[in-house]
Amino acid sequence: MNCSTRHASSSTYPRQIIFSGIQPTGIPHLGNYFGALQQWVKIQNGATSTTDVIFSIVDLHAMTLPYDPAQLRLWKRQTLAALLAVGLDPQRSIIFFQSSVPAHSELMWVLSCTASVGYLSRMTQWKSKLALSDNVALSDPDAKMKLKLALFSYPVLQAADILLYRATHVPVGYDQAQHLEFAREIAKSFNKAHGHFFTEPQTVMSPAKRMMSLKNPRLKMSKSHEDPRSRILLDDSSDDIRMKIKAALTDSMDGVSYDMVERPGISNLLTLMAYMDERQRSVEQIASEGQALSLRAFKEQVAETIIKGIANIKEKYDYFIDTPQRHYLQDVAVLGHGKARLKADETMRQVREIIGTDDI
């Protein structure tokens, strides 16, 4: 993928730098794959010699809500194995754990000095994470009781993640577009206070449609849903996939048709099938050819298409996550850490000179 038409290159920093991150929440599901990971692989494979491609497993972000350290450690391994399984190549992309590069936290503090509390208070992510309404204020008793500083300020850390590598383009899903706008605002604030230094990164929106929950097709597919049958993971067995698709919420209407308003469940299954269809048919074509099918027969087709579609990814994931490959995962993490830290340290050297915290 070439994003150069969307960003005029600078004479000082002519390289295109693409950065994105993923929280380690365990094995990715199909929504993660189609919404982000598949696009990351396309970006990597289409990158030229003048493009840096950087992907971070943002484990510090996973600490903003109560968590189990042992589980986080496992999730980090699973996420790294999944990134390799879907096709990311540590020789072509920089793949690293955010916490292994201390400059992320240092730059967050620097950016916090010009970040607006008012702007942060209007952002919706912390409200949704705490199950609060979008219009709740910081003065609300519920917000005061539940909200922790890390969750409130994590968009500042997210901005630091991006700006630390002087990213020109950031692939994001719809949910993260607001945070990238904040990153641009905080870059402007720093530049206004200290002179122009940070590039304002451009958004690269995922072209994929949202994958919806199999149990509630009006909600996006998410690991936060209490029913594990609501999502298909990249390492699910064939039997698990068949069971989840069979149990997917649909409707009582006859036949197969695509209508996200009237038939969201069937439409979601059609979308899943279209993304993995070997013949690359559209949802409308699949619906037209299958309009006479019973729901049972249609669900069987969807399940077999998904099983075949992720078979290669599952095989690679099972290989990478296997205990004997632990050292390989560690080697990949060390390689990525070294490359990321070189870039981060150079940015921070210049930032310290600008703000006056360099050596006297």
Side-chain angles (χ1 to χ4, degrees):
M1 177 177 180
N2 192 328
C3 308
S4 58
T5 58
R6 300 183 59 178
H7 178 76
S9 62
S10 156
S11 59
T12 307
Y13 294 97
R15 296 187 67 81
Q16 187 176 94
I17 302 170
I18 301 172
F19 175 93
S20 198
I22 183 172
Q23 281 201 42
T25 55
I27 301 158
H29 54 64
L30 288 184
N32 302 135
Y33 177 64
F34 291 121
L37 303 185
Q38 187 180 59
Q39 185 188 24
W40 288 10
V41 175
K42 290 178 181 178
I43 289 171
Q44 168 194 269
N45 294 343
T48 67
S49 59
T50 59
T51 301
D52 291 332
V53 184
I54 306 170
F55 299 118
S56 179
I57 298 172
V58 288
D59 46 348
L60 296 178
H61 288 292
M63 298 167 60
T64 57
L65 293 173
Y67 72 98
D68 176 0
Q71 186 174 60
L72 176 58
R73 195 173 296 113
L74 172 63
W75 282 352
K76 288 172 64 174
R77 282 188 62 230
Q78 291 175 331
T79 304
L80 179 55
L83 295 188
L84 299 177
V86 300
L88 290 186
D89 182 348
Q91 300 300 326
R92 302 179 68 180
S93 297
I94 298 175
I95 309 167
F96 71 104
F97 292 113
Q98 174 195 36
S99 61
S100 71
V101 181
H104 285 259
S105 301
E106 183 181 358
L107 184 57
M108 178 195 178
W109 179 256
V110 173
L111 297 178
S112 295
C113 296
T114 55
S116 165
V117 171
Y119 198 124
L120 287 168
S121 69
R122 293 191 294 273
M123 301 189 80
T124 58
Q125 193 80 351
W126 65 267
K127 300 170 186 177
S128 64
K129 290 281 187 182
L130 298 177
L132 300 172
S133 66
D134 284 351
N135 60 0
V136 72
L138 283 177
S139 57
D140 182 89
D142 241 6
K144 283 184 177 181
M145 180 178 67
K146 296 179 179 180
L147 183 60
K148 307 301 181 187
L149 179 59
L151 181 58
F152 181 68
S153 63
Y154 95 91
V156 185
L157 177 58
Q158 192 172 52
D161 299 336
I162 295 165
L163 299 179
L164 186 59
Y165 300 96
R166 317 297 293 276
T168 59
H169 296 81
V170 182
V172 295
Y174 173 81
D175 293 344
Q176 293 298 317
Q178 185 185 48
H179 291 156
L180 189 52
E181 182 59 36
F182 177 78
R184 283 194 287 268
E185 286 300 314
I186 210 167
K188 288 179 185 176
S189 297
F190 182 92
N191 292 342
K192 184 177 180 180
H194 301 287
H196 187 271
F197 178 71
F198 286 119
T199 298
E200 295 174 29
Q202 300 299 302
T203 303
V204 181
M205 292 296 296
S206 170
K209 294 180 180 178
R210 275 176 139 193
M211 294 296 104
M212 310 308 284
S213 166
L214 297 178
K215 301 305 293 180
N216 185 347
R218 299 197 184 278
L219 299 176
K220 73 171 185 175
M221 188 176 288
S222 171
K223 290 177 189 169
S224 62
H225 196 292
E226 61 184 13
D227 190 341
R229 297 176 302 169
S230 67
R231 53 198 174 270
I232 292 176
L233 305 180
L234 293 181
D235 78 328
D236 273 348
S237 68
S238 298
D239 287 343
D240 284 340
I241 293 172
R242 292 188 184 103
M243 177 272 294
K244 290 178 179 182
I245 295 299
K246 183 178 180 180
L249 181 66
T250 50
D251 54 55
S252 58
M253 297 170 64
D254 293 332
V256 175
S257 60
Y258 184 78
D259 186 333
M260 282 301 297
V261 176
E262 298 296 329
R263 308 193 73 186
I266 290 291
S267 299
N268 190 40
L269 295 181
L270 280 166
T271 301
L272 283 172
M273 188 170 177
Y275 276 128
M276 295 199 154
D277 184 47
E278 284 187 327
R279 293 159 57 190
Q280 298 184 332
R281 293 171 296 172
S282 68
V283 290
E284 291 80 9
Q285 288 173 313
I286 296 173
S288 176
E289 292 178 23
Q291 59 184 330
L293 289 174
S294 66
L295 290 186
R296 178 178 178 178
F298 170 63
K299 285 185 173 183
E300 288 174 352
Q301 281 193 8
V302 174
E304 296 310 311
T305 299
I306 293 172
I307 290 167
K308 193 170 184 179
I310 68 170
N312 188 48
I313 294 174
K314 175 175 167 49
E315 181 181 355
K316 290 181 178 179
Y317 174 81
D318 289 343
Y319 171 78
F320 286 125
I321 203 65
D322 198 25
T323 301
Q325 300 307 315
R326 180 185 293 270
H327 292 302
Y328 178 69
L329 292 181
Q330 291 172 343
D331 290 344
V332 169
V334 169
L335 176 65
H337 158 254
K339 292 179 178 179
R341 187 155 187 173
L342 279 175
K343 294 180 178 296
D345 286 351
E346 174 55 24
T347 297
M348 288 312 302
R349 182 191 66 78
Q350 296 180 62
V351 168
R352 293 185 198 109
E353 286 183 359
I354 292 170
I355 65 175
T357 59
D358 54 334
D359 293 339
I360 59 173

